Short mmCIF file of all heavy atoms in Angstrom, two decimals:
data_model
loop_
_atom_site.label_atom_id
_atom_site.label_comp_id
_atom_site.label_asym_id
_atom_site.label_seq_id
_atom_site.Cartn_x
_atom_site.Cartn_y
_atom_site.Cartn_z
N ALA A 16 67.54 81.53 146.14
CA ALA A 16 66.31 80.97 145.51
C ALA A 16 66.43 79.44 145.56
O ALA A 16 65.47 78.74 145.77
CB ALA A 16 66.27 81.36 144.11
N ALA A 17 67.62 78.83 145.33
CA ALA A 17 67.80 77.39 145.30
C ALA A 17 67.49 76.78 146.66
O ALA A 17 66.88 75.79 146.81
CB ALA A 17 69.19 77.05 144.88
N ASP A 18 68.02 77.47 147.69
CA ASP A 18 67.82 76.97 149.09
C ASP A 18 66.28 77.01 149.45
O ASP A 18 65.78 76.13 150.00
CB ASP A 18 68.55 77.84 150.14
CG ASP A 18 70.08 77.50 150.03
OD1 ASP A 18 70.46 76.47 149.61
OD2 ASP A 18 70.89 78.42 150.53
N SER A 19 65.66 78.03 148.94
CA SER A 19 64.21 78.20 149.26
C SER A 19 63.49 77.14 148.50
O SER A 19 62.54 76.46 149.07
CB SER A 19 63.66 79.51 148.72
OG SER A 19 62.34 79.71 148.94
N ALA A 20 63.80 76.79 147.19
CA ALA A 20 63.07 75.70 146.47
C ALA A 20 63.45 74.40 147.19
O ALA A 20 62.40 73.59 147.30
CB ALA A 20 63.71 75.70 145.08
N LEU A 21 64.58 74.15 147.64
CA LEU A 21 64.78 72.89 148.47
C LEU A 21 64.07 72.79 149.68
O LEU A 21 63.57 71.66 150.04
CB LEU A 21 66.32 72.62 148.66
CG LEU A 21 67.16 72.42 147.45
CD1 LEU A 21 68.65 72.44 147.72
CD2 LEU A 21 66.79 70.91 146.91
N SER A 22 63.95 73.92 150.51
CA SER A 22 63.28 73.89 151.69
C SER A 22 61.75 73.54 151.37
O SER A 22 61.15 72.76 152.12
CB SER A 22 63.27 75.25 152.32
OG SER A 22 64.64 75.51 152.76
N ASN A 23 61.26 74.16 150.33
CA ASN A 23 59.79 73.91 150.01
C ASN A 23 59.65 72.40 149.61
O ASN A 23 58.73 71.75 149.94
CB ASN A 23 59.41 74.80 148.85
CG ASN A 23 59.17 76.21 149.38
OD1 ASN A 23 58.91 76.45 150.61
ND2 ASN A 23 59.35 77.23 148.59
N LYS A 24 60.65 71.95 148.85
CA LYS A 24 60.55 70.51 148.29
C LYS A 24 60.54 69.50 149.38
O LYS A 24 59.70 68.55 149.38
CB LYS A 24 61.78 70.23 147.42
CG LYS A 24 61.83 68.84 146.86
CD LYS A 24 63.07 68.61 146.00
CE LYS A 24 63.13 67.19 145.56
NZ LYS A 24 64.30 66.93 144.74
N TYR A 25 61.35 69.71 150.44
CA TYR A 25 61.45 68.80 151.54
C TYR A 25 60.55 69.12 152.73
O TYR A 25 60.51 68.39 153.71
CB TYR A 25 62.92 68.65 152.01
CG TYR A 25 63.73 67.93 150.92
CD1 TYR A 25 64.66 68.72 150.21
CD2 TYR A 25 63.52 66.66 150.56
CE1 TYR A 25 65.50 68.07 149.26
CE2 TYR A 25 64.24 65.97 149.57
CZ TYR A 25 65.30 66.69 148.93
OH TYR A 25 65.96 66.11 147.95
N GLY A 26 59.82 70.20 152.62
CA GLY A 26 58.95 70.60 153.81
C GLY A 26 59.65 71.00 154.98
O GLY A 26 59.18 70.87 156.19
N VAL A 27 60.85 71.64 154.86
CA VAL A 27 61.63 72.02 156.01
C VAL A 27 60.90 73.16 156.66
O VAL A 27 60.53 74.17 156.07
CB VAL A 27 63.05 72.55 155.56
CG1 VAL A 27 63.81 73.16 156.62
CG2 VAL A 27 63.87 71.30 154.99
N GLN A 28 60.73 73.05 157.98
CA GLN A 28 60.00 74.02 158.79
C GLN A 28 60.92 74.83 159.78
O GLN A 28 60.51 75.74 160.40
CB GLN A 28 58.95 73.39 159.64
CG GLN A 28 57.88 72.76 158.81
CD GLN A 28 57.06 73.78 157.92
OE1 GLN A 28 56.61 74.77 158.54
NE2 GLN A 28 56.92 73.53 156.67
N GLY A 29 62.24 74.38 159.92
CA GLY A 29 63.08 75.16 160.80
C GLY A 29 64.49 74.68 160.68
O GLY A 29 64.85 73.89 159.83
N SER A 30 65.31 75.29 161.43
CA SER A 30 66.79 75.13 161.40
C SER A 30 67.25 74.59 162.76
O SER A 30 66.76 75.10 163.78
CB SER A 30 67.47 76.38 161.00
OG SER A 30 68.85 76.22 161.00
N PRO A 31 68.14 73.68 162.88
CA PRO A 31 68.76 72.98 161.71
C PRO A 31 67.94 71.79 161.24
O PRO A 31 67.19 71.18 161.99
CB PRO A 31 70.06 72.48 162.31
CG PRO A 31 69.75 72.14 163.72
CD PRO A 31 68.68 73.24 164.14
N SER A 32 67.97 71.69 159.99
CA SER A 32 67.31 70.50 159.19
C SER A 32 68.36 69.78 158.38
O SER A 32 69.18 70.54 157.70
CB SER A 32 66.18 70.87 158.38
OG SER A 32 65.11 71.44 159.17
N LEU A 33 68.45 68.54 158.45
CA LEU A 33 69.46 67.70 157.74
C LEU A 33 68.70 66.77 156.78
O LEU A 33 67.90 65.94 157.33
CB LEU A 33 70.43 66.93 158.65
CG LEU A 33 71.42 66.07 158.01
CD1 LEU A 33 72.45 66.97 157.22
CD2 LEU A 33 72.19 65.33 159.09
N ILE A 34 68.87 66.92 155.50
CA ILE A 34 68.20 66.03 154.53
C ILE A 34 69.40 65.12 153.95
O ILE A 34 70.40 65.62 153.44
CB ILE A 34 67.68 66.76 153.35
CG1 ILE A 34 66.63 67.82 153.95
CG2 ILE A 34 67.01 65.85 152.45
CD1 ILE A 34 65.48 67.36 154.64
N ILE A 35 69.21 63.82 154.10
CA ILE A 35 70.20 62.87 153.55
C ILE A 35 69.49 62.01 152.57
O ILE A 35 68.58 61.23 152.86
CB ILE A 35 70.76 61.93 154.69
CG1 ILE A 35 71.43 62.87 155.74
CG2 ILE A 35 71.89 61.00 154.15
CD1 ILE A 35 71.84 62.19 156.92
N ASN A 36 70.08 62.04 151.30
CA ASN A 36 69.46 61.18 150.23
C ASN A 36 67.96 61.33 150.09
O ASN A 36 67.21 60.45 149.91
CB ASN A 36 69.79 59.65 150.45
CG ASN A 36 71.26 59.36 150.32
OD1 ASN A 36 71.92 60.10 149.75
ND2 ASN A 36 71.73 58.28 150.89
N GLY A 37 67.54 62.56 150.23
CA GLY A 37 66.15 62.95 150.08
C GLY A 37 65.23 62.62 151.21
O GLY A 37 64.00 62.72 151.19
N ALA A 38 65.83 62.23 152.38
CA ALA A 38 64.94 62.03 153.56
C ALA A 38 65.39 62.82 154.70
O ALA A 38 66.63 63.05 154.88
CB ALA A 38 65.13 60.54 153.90
N GLU A 39 64.55 63.42 155.35
CA GLU A 39 64.82 64.26 156.60
C GLU A 39 65.44 63.33 157.71
O GLU A 39 64.91 62.27 158.05
CB GLU A 39 63.67 65.04 157.15
CG GLU A 39 64.02 65.90 158.24
CD GLU A 39 63.00 66.93 158.62
OE1 GLU A 39 61.88 66.83 158.15
OE2 GLU A 39 63.22 67.77 159.53
N SER A 40 66.63 63.72 158.16
CA SER A 40 67.22 62.97 159.26
C SER A 40 66.73 63.35 160.59
O SER A 40 66.40 64.53 160.85
CB SER A 40 68.80 63.19 159.18
OG SER A 40 69.39 62.64 160.32
N SER A 41 66.59 62.41 161.52
CA SER A 41 66.22 62.71 162.86
C SER A 41 67.31 62.82 163.77
O SER A 41 67.19 62.66 165.02
CB SER A 41 65.15 61.71 163.34
OG SER A 41 65.75 60.40 163.36
N ALA A 42 68.53 63.07 163.22
CA ALA A 42 69.78 63.17 164.02
C ALA A 42 69.62 64.21 165.08
O ALA A 42 68.97 65.20 164.87
CB ALA A 42 71.01 63.41 163.15
N GLY A 43 70.37 64.04 166.14
CA GLY A 43 70.43 65.14 167.18
C GLY A 43 71.08 66.34 166.64
O GLY A 43 71.34 66.39 165.50
N ARG A 44 71.27 67.31 167.52
CA ARG A 44 71.84 68.64 167.09
C ARG A 44 73.33 68.78 167.33
O ARG A 44 73.88 69.82 167.21
CB ARG A 44 71.08 69.75 167.90
CG ARG A 44 69.61 69.82 167.59
CD ARG A 44 68.96 70.99 168.18
NE ARG A 44 69.54 72.27 167.71
CZ ARG A 44 69.88 73.18 168.59
NH1 ARG A 44 69.61 73.05 169.91
NH2 ARG A 44 70.39 74.38 168.08
N ASN A 45 73.92 67.71 167.63
CA ASN A 45 75.45 67.79 167.86
C ASN A 45 76.16 67.17 166.74
O ASN A 45 75.66 66.36 166.03
CB ASN A 45 75.83 67.21 169.24
CG ASN A 45 75.47 65.77 169.31
OD1 ASN A 45 76.08 64.95 168.57
ND2 ASN A 45 74.66 65.37 170.28
N ALA A 46 77.53 67.39 166.71
CA ALA A 46 78.31 66.92 165.56
C ALA A 46 78.32 65.37 165.50
O ALA A 46 78.22 64.85 164.46
CB ALA A 46 79.80 67.46 165.81
N GLN A 47 78.43 64.68 166.64
CA GLN A 47 78.38 63.23 166.60
C GLN A 47 77.14 62.66 165.98
O GLN A 47 77.13 61.71 165.18
CB GLN A 47 78.73 62.64 167.98
CG GLN A 47 78.90 61.05 167.94
CD GLN A 47 80.14 60.67 167.16
OE1 GLN A 47 81.26 61.12 167.46
NE2 GLN A 47 79.88 59.75 166.24
N SER A 48 76.03 63.25 166.40
CA SER A 48 74.72 62.78 165.84
C SER A 48 74.56 63.00 164.41
O SER A 48 74.01 62.17 163.61
CB SER A 48 73.64 63.53 166.54
OG SER A 48 73.52 63.09 167.99
N TYR A 49 75.11 64.19 163.84
CA TYR A 49 75.13 64.45 162.45
C TYR A 49 75.94 63.44 161.68
O TYR A 49 75.48 62.87 160.71
CB TYR A 49 75.57 65.79 162.15
CG TYR A 49 74.39 66.82 162.14
CD1 TYR A 49 73.25 66.71 162.82
CD2 TYR A 49 74.50 67.95 161.29
CE1 TYR A 49 72.23 67.64 162.78
CE2 TYR A 49 73.51 68.92 161.20
CZ TYR A 49 72.33 68.73 161.99
OH TYR A 49 71.34 69.64 161.80
N LEU A 50 77.20 63.15 162.24
CA LEU A 50 77.99 62.17 161.64
C LEU A 50 77.33 60.84 161.63
O LEU A 50 77.37 60.14 160.60
CB LEU A 50 79.40 62.07 162.38
CG LEU A 50 80.35 61.08 161.73
CD1 LEU A 50 80.86 61.49 160.40
CD2 LEU A 50 81.57 60.96 162.79
N ASP A 51 76.75 60.43 162.77
CA ASP A 51 76.10 59.10 162.77
C ASP A 51 74.95 59.10 161.71
O ASP A 51 74.81 58.06 161.06
CB ASP A 51 75.55 58.83 164.19
CG ASP A 51 76.66 58.62 165.29
OD1 ASP A 51 77.85 58.41 164.83
OD2 ASP A 51 76.37 58.80 166.40
N GLY A 52 74.25 60.19 161.59
CA GLY A 52 73.13 60.19 160.63
C GLY A 52 73.58 60.08 159.21
O GLY A 52 73.02 59.33 158.38
N ILE A 53 74.57 60.73 158.89
CA ILE A 53 75.24 60.70 157.58
C ILE A 53 75.76 59.28 157.26
O ILE A 53 75.53 58.70 156.30
CB ILE A 53 76.31 61.86 157.37
CG1 ILE A 53 75.70 63.22 157.46
CG2 ILE A 53 77.12 61.53 156.15
CD1 ILE A 53 76.63 64.31 157.63
N CYS A 54 76.54 58.81 158.23
CA CYS A 54 77.13 57.48 158.04
C CYS A 54 76.13 56.36 157.90
O CYS A 54 76.30 55.32 157.20
CB CYS A 54 78.09 57.15 159.18
SG CYS A 54 79.58 58.29 159.05
N ALA A 55 74.92 56.47 158.61
CA ALA A 55 73.87 55.48 158.45
C ALA A 55 73.35 55.45 157.05
O ALA A 55 72.73 54.35 156.61
CB ALA A 55 72.75 55.81 159.48
N ALA A 56 73.51 56.41 156.21
CA ALA A 56 73.04 56.41 154.89
C ALA A 56 73.90 55.62 153.93
O ALA A 56 73.39 55.29 152.81
CB ALA A 56 72.90 57.86 154.38
N PHE A 57 75.06 55.24 154.28
CA PHE A 57 75.96 54.50 153.46
C PHE A 57 75.67 53.02 153.64
O PHE A 57 75.35 52.39 154.58
CB PHE A 57 77.45 54.65 153.86
CG PHE A 57 78.07 55.99 153.53
CD1 PHE A 57 78.04 57.02 154.43
CD2 PHE A 57 78.67 56.14 152.34
CE1 PHE A 57 78.60 58.20 154.11
CE2 PHE A 57 79.20 57.28 151.93
CZ PHE A 57 79.16 58.39 152.83
N THR A 58 75.80 52.25 152.47
CA THR A 58 75.71 50.71 152.51
C THR A 58 77.03 50.27 153.02
O THR A 58 76.96 49.41 153.90
CB THR A 58 75.60 50.23 151.08
OG1 THR A 58 74.37 50.79 150.51
CG2 THR A 58 75.49 48.70 151.04
N THR A 59 78.07 50.86 152.65
CA THR A 59 79.45 50.51 153.17
C THR A 59 79.99 51.84 153.76
O THR A 59 80.42 52.71 152.91
CB THR A 59 80.40 49.94 152.20
OG1 THR A 59 79.74 48.74 151.61
CG2 THR A 59 81.76 49.56 152.73
N SER A 60 80.07 52.03 154.96
CA SER A 60 80.49 53.29 155.58
C SER A 60 82.02 53.44 155.36
O SER A 60 82.82 52.53 155.48
CB SER A 60 80.26 53.27 157.08
OG SER A 60 78.86 53.22 157.29
N PRO A 61 82.41 54.72 155.10
CA PRO A 61 83.84 55.06 155.06
C PRO A 61 84.46 54.97 156.35
O PRO A 61 83.83 55.02 157.42
CB PRO A 61 83.90 56.46 154.49
CG PRO A 61 82.55 57.01 154.72
CD PRO A 61 81.65 55.80 154.80
N THR A 62 85.83 54.92 156.44
CA THR A 62 86.50 54.79 157.68
C THR A 62 86.29 56.01 158.64
O THR A 62 86.39 55.89 159.85
CB THR A 62 88.02 54.60 157.53
OG1 THR A 62 88.53 55.71 156.78
CG2 THR A 62 88.34 53.27 156.81
N GLU A 63 85.99 57.15 158.03
CA GLU A 63 85.72 58.36 158.79
C GLU A 63 84.54 58.07 159.80
O GLU A 63 84.43 58.82 160.72
CB GLU A 63 85.47 59.56 157.94
CG GLU A 63 86.68 60.01 157.20
CD GLU A 63 87.01 59.25 155.91
OE1 GLU A 63 86.22 58.38 155.61
OE2 GLU A 63 88.09 59.54 155.31
N CYS A 64 83.64 57.17 159.44
CA CYS A 64 82.51 56.93 160.29
C CYS A 64 82.87 56.27 161.59
O CYS A 64 81.99 56.18 162.47
CB CYS A 64 81.50 56.13 159.45
SG CYS A 64 80.74 57.06 158.18
N THR A 65 84.05 55.79 161.75
CA THR A 65 84.38 55.16 163.05
C THR A 65 85.02 56.22 164.08
O THR A 65 85.18 55.84 165.17
CB THR A 65 85.53 54.11 162.79
OG1 THR A 65 86.66 54.65 162.23
CG2 THR A 65 84.99 52.97 161.87
N LYS A 66 85.15 57.39 163.51
CA LYS A 66 85.65 58.45 164.45
C LYS A 66 84.59 58.90 165.41
O LYS A 66 83.46 58.87 165.19
CB LYS A 66 86.11 59.67 163.55
CG LYS A 66 87.08 59.33 162.44
CD LYS A 66 88.32 59.98 162.66
CE LYS A 66 89.23 59.83 161.44
NZ LYS A 66 90.47 59.51 161.70
N LYS A 67 85.00 59.22 166.64
CA LYS A 67 84.25 59.84 167.60
C LYS A 67 84.55 61.38 167.74
O LYS A 67 85.72 61.66 167.91
CB LYS A 67 84.41 59.12 168.90
CG LYS A 67 84.00 57.65 168.93
CD LYS A 67 82.48 57.55 168.71
CE LYS A 67 82.04 56.07 168.40
NZ LYS A 67 80.86 55.98 167.66
N ILE A 68 83.49 62.14 167.72
CA ILE A 68 83.86 63.59 167.72
C ILE A 68 82.82 64.21 168.79
O ILE A 68 82.19 63.49 169.47
CB ILE A 68 83.56 64.31 166.34
CG1 ILE A 68 82.15 63.95 165.80
CG2 ILE A 68 84.57 63.75 165.32
CD1 ILE A 68 81.79 64.59 164.47
N ASP A 69 82.89 65.47 168.91
CA ASP A 69 82.11 66.17 169.93
C ASP A 69 80.69 65.84 169.94
O ASP A 69 80.01 65.88 168.97
CB ASP A 69 82.32 67.68 169.73
CG ASP A 69 81.73 68.51 170.93
OD1 ASP A 69 81.38 67.93 171.96
OD2 ASP A 69 81.67 69.74 170.72
N SER A 70 80.12 65.36 171.11
CA SER A 70 78.73 65.05 171.29
C SER A 70 78.01 65.93 172.16
O SER A 70 76.90 65.71 172.67
CB SER A 70 78.62 63.60 171.70
OG SER A 70 79.20 63.40 172.99
N THR A 71 78.60 67.16 172.46
CA THR A 71 78.01 68.20 173.30
C THR A 71 76.91 68.83 172.46
O THR A 71 77.12 69.29 171.41
CB THR A 71 79.11 69.25 173.71
OG1 THR A 71 80.12 68.58 174.32
CG2 THR A 71 78.43 70.23 174.54
N ASN A 72 75.70 68.93 173.11
CA ASN A 72 74.62 69.53 172.49
C ASN A 72 74.70 71.05 172.50
O ASN A 72 75.09 71.61 173.69
CB ASN A 72 73.31 69.17 173.07
CG ASN A 72 72.87 67.73 172.77
OD1 ASN A 72 72.90 67.37 171.56
ND2 ASN A 72 72.63 66.95 173.77
N PRO A 73 74.56 71.77 171.46
CA PRO A 73 74.60 73.22 171.43
C PRO A 73 73.32 73.74 172.20
O PRO A 73 72.28 73.14 172.22
CB PRO A 73 74.63 73.59 169.98
CG PRO A 73 73.90 72.49 169.34
CD PRO A 73 74.26 71.30 170.11
N SER A 74 73.49 74.91 172.87
CA SER A 74 72.43 75.57 173.55
C SER A 74 71.52 76.23 172.47
O SER A 74 71.99 76.57 171.40
CB SER A 74 72.88 76.49 174.65
OG SER A 74 73.58 77.58 174.01
N PRO A 75 70.32 76.45 172.83
CA PRO A 75 69.31 77.16 171.88
C PRO A 75 69.84 78.69 171.67
O PRO A 75 70.43 79.23 172.53
CB PRO A 75 68.00 77.19 172.59
CG PRO A 75 68.12 76.18 173.69
CD PRO A 75 69.56 76.13 174.00
N GLY A 76 69.46 79.20 170.56
CA GLY A 76 69.81 80.61 170.28
C GLY A 76 70.84 80.75 169.16
O GLY A 76 71.19 79.81 168.53
N PHE A 77 71.41 81.88 169.05
CA PHE A 77 72.35 82.22 168.04
C PHE A 77 73.79 82.07 168.56
O PHE A 77 74.06 82.26 169.74
CB PHE A 77 72.17 83.64 167.45
CG PHE A 77 70.79 83.77 166.77
CD1 PHE A 77 69.73 84.38 167.43
CD2 PHE A 77 70.65 83.24 165.41
CE1 PHE A 77 68.55 84.54 166.78
CE2 PHE A 77 69.52 83.45 164.88
CZ PHE A 77 68.43 84.08 165.43
N GLY A 78 74.70 81.71 167.62
CA GLY A 78 76.05 81.52 168.11
C GLY A 78 76.22 80.05 168.72
O GLY A 78 75.28 79.29 168.59
N TYR A 79 77.25 79.75 169.26
CA TYR A 79 77.50 78.45 169.90
C TYR A 79 77.98 78.49 171.33
O TYR A 79 78.93 79.12 171.71
CB TYR A 79 78.48 77.63 169.19
CG TYR A 79 78.73 76.29 169.71
CD1 TYR A 79 77.90 75.18 169.46
CD2 TYR A 79 79.78 76.00 170.63
CE1 TYR A 79 78.03 73.95 170.02
CE2 TYR A 79 79.91 74.71 171.16
CZ TYR A 79 79.10 73.74 170.82
OH TYR A 79 79.23 72.44 171.43
N THR A 80 77.10 77.92 172.19
CA THR A 80 77.48 77.72 173.68
C THR A 80 77.07 76.39 173.97
O THR A 80 75.94 75.94 173.71
CB THR A 80 76.73 78.74 174.50
OG1 THR A 80 76.96 80.17 174.03
CG2 THR A 80 77.10 78.66 175.99
N ALA A 81 77.96 75.58 174.43
CA ALA A 81 77.70 74.10 174.84
C ALA A 81 76.58 74.05 175.80
O ALA A 81 76.61 74.86 176.80
CB ALA A 81 78.95 73.43 175.20
N SER A 82 75.76 73.14 175.75
CA SER A 82 74.72 72.90 176.77
C SER A 82 75.01 71.60 177.53
O SER A 82 75.46 70.66 176.96
CB SER A 82 73.38 72.67 175.99
OG SER A 82 72.41 72.20 176.97
N THR A 83 74.98 71.77 178.83
CA THR A 83 75.28 70.52 179.67
C THR A 83 74.08 69.57 179.83
O THR A 83 74.26 68.53 180.28
CB THR A 83 75.87 70.97 181.01
OG1 THR A 83 74.88 71.83 181.64
CG2 THR A 83 77.18 71.73 180.83
N GLY A 84 72.95 70.12 179.53
CA GLY A 84 71.70 69.33 179.70
C GLY A 84 71.35 68.49 178.41
O GLY A 84 72.10 68.49 177.46
N ALA A 85 70.31 67.76 178.47
CA ALA A 85 69.83 66.93 177.34
C ALA A 85 69.35 67.79 176.32
O ALA A 85 68.86 68.98 176.59
CB ALA A 85 68.83 65.94 177.87
N ALA A 86 69.36 67.31 175.10
CA ALA A 86 68.80 68.09 173.96
C ALA A 86 67.27 68.22 174.18
O ALA A 86 66.67 67.28 174.65
CB ALA A 86 69.12 67.34 172.73
N THR A 87 66.76 69.32 173.79
CA THR A 87 65.33 69.55 173.93
C THR A 87 64.86 70.02 172.51
O THR A 87 65.51 70.58 171.73
CB THR A 87 65.01 70.70 174.99
OG1 THR A 87 65.66 71.86 174.59
CG2 THR A 87 65.44 70.22 176.37
N ALA A 88 63.49 69.89 172.36
CA ALA A 88 62.86 70.37 171.14
C ALA A 88 62.83 71.81 171.11
O ALA A 88 62.52 72.51 172.15
CB ALA A 88 61.49 69.69 170.96
N ALA A 89 63.03 72.47 169.91
CA ALA A 89 62.91 73.94 169.85
C ALA A 89 61.45 74.28 169.92
O ALA A 89 60.56 73.52 169.56
CB ALA A 89 63.56 74.34 168.51
N SER A 90 61.22 75.51 170.41
CA SER A 90 59.87 76.01 170.47
C SER A 90 59.86 77.59 170.35
O SER A 90 60.89 78.17 170.63
CB SER A 90 59.20 75.55 171.79
OG SER A 90 59.81 76.16 172.85
N CYS A 91 58.75 78.07 169.89
CA CYS A 91 58.64 79.50 169.92
C CYS A 91 57.75 79.88 171.05
O CYS A 91 56.69 79.25 171.31
CB CYS A 91 57.95 79.96 168.60
SG CYS A 91 58.95 79.50 167.17
N GLY A 92 58.13 81.00 171.73
CA GLY A 92 57.36 81.39 172.89
C GLY A 92 57.00 82.75 173.00
O GLY A 92 57.26 83.56 172.34
#
């Protein structure tokens, strides 16, 4: 119920969605993009924000399989 209320509050329409400090992030779908988006919300970033981590985009679908192509917008077909 709490997740549903938050989804409605922020107008989340799909997954993954990342809300940082009450604003929807436009970060990419890989770990490095999420880290960059989170770190951008800090006035003074912690040292963890200087780390470089996996920037491989996940492929669409369930589970995790790395995609070698560029990230694409999700769609229903």
Side-chain angles (χ1 to χ4, degrees):
D18 289 338
S19 180
L21 286 171
S22 294
N23 289 332
K24 176 181 176 179
Y25 293 112
V27 170
Q28 297 293 313
S30 176
S32 292
L33 179 62
I34 308 296
I35 303 172
N36 293 338
E39 186 171 2
S40 171
S41 60
R44 295 184 61 223
N45 62 63
Q47 185 66 54
S48 293
Y49 268 30
L50 178 64
D51 293 344
I53 292 165
C54 291
F57 285 95
T58 302
T59 303
S60 298
T62 58
E63 289 81 4
C64 291
T65 62
K66 306 243 185 221
K67 296 298 174 199
I68 56 177
D69 188 9
S70 61
T71 304
N72 287 308
S74 59
F77 295 100
Y79 180 81
T80 304
S82 172
T83 57
T87 57
S90 65
C91 295

